[in-house]
Amino acid sequence: RERMSASKPLRYTYEDYARLPDDRRYEVIDGELYLTPPPTPYHQIVARRIQRLLEEHVERASLGIVIQAPCDVVLSRFDVLQPDVFFISTGRRAVIGEKYISDAPDLVVEVLSAGTRKRDRILKSRRYSRFGVREMWIVDPKVETIEVFVGHDRRFRRGATYAGDDVLRSPLLPGLEVPLAHVFAPI
């Protein structure tokens, strides 16, 4: 008797992703499936601090909505990502669906961790820029920096790198101030 085995798709799609068990976090980047390891407590604290500062600014000025992972952002049939924190402007709220976000957020924030550092910096940033994310922050809790990248012609340009007692100011969100001393304060 011949045994049948489930073979791995050549390229994972959103439909394949949607059939995966939901006891773990996954991402699909250009058709490749990636398991996302659970974040550390400090990773979550840093992400939450950033989310809170963004939310306060965005809600005060009625600019849109801020969402924190886990939440699927479906950029294409072959790209399903979960940014740590992201912002969608008021005029683009239609991309917020019942099950997932159906287009690129205006701003994505990726907090680096040992298991996702390379993926966040290279693979995910390429997808974000290609699909039109306007601004991306790479947050590195290990060295306590935040790099801001600005989207231009489907590519990112490095805007600024913030460290120490710097206060991040976003090109996309004028008036927003993110004091790094608060983001990286000891727990």
Side-chain angles (χ1 to χ4, degrees):
R1 241 184 188 187
E2 188 176 328
R3 291 187 84 167
M4 295 193 66
S5 64
S7 63
K8 175 186 162 230
L10 295 175
R11 285 184 81 193
Y12 277 86
T13 64
Y14 172 76
E15 294 79 16
D16 299 321
Y17 170 89
R19 286 192 291 272
L20 293 169
D22 61 4
D23 59 340
R24 295 190 175 173
R25 283 180 53 198
Y26 301 92
E27 292 181 300
V28 176
I29 304 171
D30 198 21
E32 290 288 321
L33 180 68
Y34 294 88
L35 174 62
T36 300
T40 65
Y42 188 59
H43 175 283
Q44 290 298 84
I45 289 165
V46 166
R48 181 68 184 123
R49 287 173 177 166
I50 291 169
Q51 178 189 357
R52 199 169 35 245
L53 291 166
L54 275 170
E55 277 178 338
E56 289 170 4
H57 179 76
V58 164
E59 288 176 5
R60 186 172 44 250
S62 299
L63 299 174
I65 191 156
V66 176
I67 301 173
Q68 185 175 15
C71 183
D72 294 337
V73 174
V74 180
L75 299 175
S76 78
R77 188 167 180 231
F78 301 105
D79 295 283
V80 184
L81 288 80
Q82 291 192 8
D84 291 307
V85 179
F86 59 96
F87 160 73
I88 296 173
S89 60
T90 300
R92 299 187 62 245
R93 281 188 186 234
V95 305
I96 303 171
E98 183 180 329
K99 295 187 179 209
Y100 57 83
I101 308 303
S102 63
D103 199 0
D106 296 276
L107 166 71
V108 296
V109 178
E110 289 291 354
V111 180
L112 301 179
S113 62
T116 64
R117 180 182 274 326
K118 185 176 179 183
R119 184 185 328 159
D120 291 344
R121 275 197 175 284
I122 299 169
L123 299 177
K124 289 176 78 172
S125 68
R126 285 180 185 157
R127 304 320 282 171
Y128 290 141
S129 63
R130 178 176 177 208
F131 287 99
V133 169
R134 295 171 57 197
E135 187 171 307
M136 177 179 183
W137 300 356
I138 297 281
V139 181
D140 193 335
K142 189 174 182 178
V143 295
E144 299 185 351
T145 61
I146 301 178
E147 296 170 87
V148 174
F149 296 87
V150 178
H152 181 71
D153 290 334
R154 306 285 182 191
R155 293 180 178 242
F156 282 132
R157 295 189 321 253
R158 183 185 310 267
T161 300
Y162 297 90
D165 290 329
D166 291 345
V167 175
L168 182 151
R169 289 179 174 81
S170 166
L172 181 65
L173 298 167
L176 172 67
E177 294 188 351
V178 178
L180 269 67
H182 173 72
V183 170
F184 298 117
I187 54 174

